[in-house]
Amino acid sequence: MKEKLRKFFEGRYGMDELGIAIVILSMIFALAGNIAESFFLQIPAYILLILELFRYMSRKYSDRRRENDFFKKYSGKLYEKLIKPIEKKFRLMGNRFRDRKTHRYFTCPKCHNALRVPKGKGEITITCPVCGEKLDRKT
């Protein structure tokens, strides 16, 4: 069974930036439909998820790549302003969870950059590598 599943997924296109945007958009529609208690707002969410499932399972690499390139070309600013910060936030949450026993995270008050320092060092001065702000914190 494992071998059949591996063969089935072999050569499939997978997830890309357009796919992430489609899934996020479908989540927004689903959330709006739940809040408004309207099934008609949830229909686009299901349609978008089915569309992304077909894109994900596709073997037409050139077509999917062309779609993704078109998306990145015309939505580069949108991607940079909406999707990338969300990705960064989830990546930071994952890193914080992974490092929860060995490191502490602080936020720079000036540039709001996440600063990671080792635990158990006592009172230390942290210098932000982005803006140079100095913080005195207890780890």
Side-chain angles (χ1 to χ4, degrees):
M1 184 68 178
K2 205 185 244 187
E3 184 64 26
K4 285 183 182 179
L5 218 83
R6 189 189 64 75
K7 274 190 173 182
F8 176 76
F9 282 105
E10 191 174 280
R12 303 290 176 170
Y13 184 70
M15 190 65 78
D16 58 4
E17 288 89 358
L18 177 58
I20 294 169
I22 290 172
V23 169
I24 290 171
L25 187 61
S26 71
M27 288 170 51
I28 291 169
F29 275 115
L31 183 64
N34 282 340
I35 290 172
E37 296 179 0
S38 170
F39 181 71
F40 294 108
L41 282 175
Q42 292 179 349
I43 291 173
Y46 295 127
I47 292 171
L48 287 170
L49 282 176
I50 291 169
L51 171 73
E52 178 49 31
L53 182 64
F54 281 115
R55 286 188 79 254
Y56 183 83
M57 300 300 282
S58 175
R59 290 189 174 174
K60 296 180 180 178
Y61 274 82
S62 59
D63 293 347
R64 301 297 84 83
R65 191 172 293 130
R66 195 175 329 110
E67 291 168 357
N68 193 45
D69 290 343
F70 182 82
F71 171 73
K72 287 196 305 190
K73 180 179 179 184
Y74 291 104
S75 66
K77 291 179 183 175
L78 177 72
Y79 177 76
E80 291 292 323
K81 289 184 178 182
L82 289 179
I83 298 170
K84 208 165 190 171
I86 293 170
E87 286 178 349
K88 185 178 177 183
K89 193 74 101 174
F90 276 107
R91 194 175 308 113
L92 181 62
M93 284 172 43
N95 290 345
R96 282 185 177 200
F97 183 76
R98 182 192 66 214
D99 298 338
R100 69 188 180 279
K101 293 182 181 178
T102 58
H103 291 83
R104 294 238 3 230
Y105 281 82
F106 297 103
T107 303
C108 176
K110 193 173 183 182
C111 68
H112 304 290
N113 189 33
L115 307 170
R116 185 180 88 142
V117 294
K119 275 187 174 180
K121 299 291 182 185
E123 185 85 22
I124 61 171
T125 301
I126 307 163
T127 304
C128 177
V130 176
C131 65
E133 182 79 11
K134 294 187 185 292
L135 311 161
D136 289 327
R137 297 286 191 262
K138 184 178 179 184
T139 64

